[in-house]
Every structure is written in structure tokens, then in C-alpha cells.
Amino acid sequence: VLPLPRTADDGRVSWQEYARPFEVDPDIPRVGIIITELGLSKAGTLAAIRKLPPEVSLSFSPYAEDLDQWMIRSRRAGHEVMLGLPLESSRFPIEDHGPLALKVSLPTEENIILLEEVLQLLQGSIGVEVFMGSRFTANAGAVRDLLGMLGARGLMIIDQKENPLSKISDVATELSVAHAVSEVRLDSVMASSAITARMKDAERLVKSSNSVIVTTSMTPAIMERLQLWIASLHAMGIVLAPVSSFASQGGEEH
């Protein structure tokens, strides 16, 4: 069993220790990209590791096999890595969060055991990315318990704008837990025109707020579109940034 992440004696924390080094003028617009549910398809995972720039952050499914090997490959290629954290969805069983999901109905002790089970799967991770979770993230008490545990272990959490009732940002700010929110999901509708529309949404958000995090799973069609889009960002004066550089603690952005 791998040891759980913890804050070092000198105060160093996992999300900063394993972050990809990144320095850029905060006035320069930036996009963060997270590829989710990796490790389930060998071909898709290898493509993400090898073909995408190292600034793209990789999130692995806790249900994938050989996570330690995937982590080594990802970090060797320069990517920062995180784990998808399954949380209870209000749309179950349409959205099946699987047996590792933390649930509102479970006692805190059982959710702690589940969280530790997930965290032990991957060393060298900056934190977790919320997977589903519409029921769990809307429950302030459950969110407080979860963020208390993640904060104590020096991990960051990435929430999804798709969860409009989520309490994660508010509670994370209050508890000074490193967090960020992905505003755009590219693969919610897989039609080519819908993916293009989502990319345009991201570009508009960058223009208005100077930064945006985009999330997507990996398919050959998305890989092709993503590579073209990443190449076009530079021409628009937009920098690709690792997701750790979007972390806020309290009200401050890292």
C-alpha cells in the first residue's frame, strides 16, 4: 500500500511540490487543459501523454489499472497528474459514479476510508478533480469534511462549473484549501460542431476574465481538435498553463 500524501515537516505541500513549474506575467491570458478519465483506454492515455504539450494536466480514473506506471510515464513527459474523485451524483444510475464514490448518506468515517483508498492509488499527484458529484458537492457538510481531509494532506481540488449548486469554491476559500473551477467541458456533446462551440466559449472567457480551465475526456476526434486548438492559442496571444497555476487559496490566486 502506498503512503498517503501529507504536508512535509518544513511545510511543503503536495500540490505545490508536484506542480509543473510555471512562471508567466499574470496579465497574459492563459488556458489550462485537463484530460480526464485517463488510464481506462491504453491507446487514449498514451496519446495524451505523448502527443499533448507538458503544460496539459492529466487526471486518472481511480478505476484504471497500472496507475503507478501511468504516473511515472506522465511525470517523465513533464505533465502534472491528479486523480478523478468520484462523488455521488443526483442523476444515479444514469451517471454511475462507481463503488469508490463518496456519498452524502455515508458516515464521515466511511467517506474517509473511501477517500484514502483513492488517494493511495497515485503518488506524485497535485490533487483531485471532481468526477460527477452533483448531489455530494451541493451538501455543505459533506464538502466541508472532504476539503478538511484534502487540505490536511496538502492537495488541491478542481471542481466543475457543470455543478451549479456546488459548495466547493465557497468552503475551500473559507478553509484556505487550494482549489480551481473548470468552466468549460469540451466533451459534454461529442458532435464536432458542439466541440467547436465549446472552444469558442473558452476563448470568449479568456478574453473577458484572462483565464479559463477546460476539461475533456480523450477520444481520437478530440485529440485531433485539441492539438489544432492548442496550436491556435499561441497565435491569439494565449498561453497554455498547468492547472496548478490556477489554484486559489482563500481569495488569492496562486
Side-chain angles (χ1 to χ4, degrees):
V1 175
L2 294 171
L4 284 161
R6 67 179 187 89
T7 300
D9 297 334
D10 62 3
R12 284 176 302 134
V13 291
S14 298
W15 78 267
Q16 291 172 325
E17 194 68 11
Y18 297 118
R20 178 177 170 78
F22 180 78
E23 295 270 337
V24 75
D25 183 329
D27 294 333
I28 293 175
R30 60 200 160 119
V31 167
I33 298 175
I34 306 170
I35 309 298
T36 64
E37 296 165 63
L38 289 170
L40 298 173
S41 153
K42 186 176 181 183
T45 305
L46 279 172
I49 294 170
R50 291 175 177 169
K51 293 184 178 177
L52 292 173
E55 292 80 12
V56 173
S57 304
L58 306 182
S59 178
F60 286 84
S61 167
Y63 301 115
E65 293 177 2
D66 302 321
L67 279 171
D68 51 345
Q69 292 306 309
W70 285 128
M71 192 279 293
I72 290 164
R73 286 183 177 203
S74 303
R75 306 243 331 136
R76 202 175 278 155
H79 300 279
E80 57 187 23
V81 297
M82 67 193 80
L83 269 164
L85 179 65
L87 300 175
E88 185 179 11
S89 167
S90 55
R91 300 184 65 218
F92 182 83
I94 299 163
E95 289 185 347
D96 186 356
H97 34 244
L100 288 172
L102 278 62
K103 298 188 185 75
V104 171
S105 55
L106 289 176
T108 302
E109 297 70 31
E110 282 187 44
N111 277 329
I112 289 172
I113 290 166
L114 284 166
L115 179 66
E116 289 183 349
E117 224 176 293
V118 170
L119 295 180
Q120 279 170 330
L121 295 169
L122 193 68
Q123 290 220 286
S125 112
I126 60 166
V128 297
E129 164 255 331
V130 171
F131 176 61
M132 297 183 185
S134 49
R135 173 165 289 151
F136 190 96
T137 59
N139 185 296
V143 166
R144 187 173 294 278
D145 287 345
L146 168 62
L147 292 179
M149 292 184 276
L150 291 175
R153 302 212 167 274
L155 297 167
M156 75 176 286
I157 186 166
I158 294 96
D159 196 13
Q160 306 284 339
K161 189 90 179 275
E162 288 181 324
N163 292 334
L165 302 176
S166 177
K167 304 282 192 288
I168 285 178
S169 284
D170 290 346
V171 177
T173 300
E174 187 189 323
L175 300 180
S176 297
V177 173
H179 62 285
V181 177
S182 169
E183 295 95 337
V184 177
R185 180 106 210 175
L186 289 186
D187 60 348
S188 40
V189 179
M190 290 300 285
S192 180
S193 57
I195 294 166
T196 301
R198 295 281 81 77
M199 288 173 169
K200 293 291 176 205
D201 288 345
E203 289 166 21
R204 274 195 294 275
L205 280 165
V206 174
K207 281 174 187 157
S208 62
S209 61
N210 226 36
S211 70
V212 68
I213 298 175
V214 172
T215 312
T216 183
S217 59
M218 183 49 64
T219 67
I222 283 184
M223 169 60 85
E224 195 179 329
R225 303 297 299 287
L226 209 47
Q227 285 178 298
L228 290 169
W229 189 56
I230 287 169
S232 76
L233 292 176
H234 182 68
M236 290 185 261
I238 298 168
V239 173
L240 187 60
V243 76
S244 59
S245 69
F246 294 79
S248 295
Q249 279 186 292
E252 296 298 309
E253 189 160 321
H254 172 59

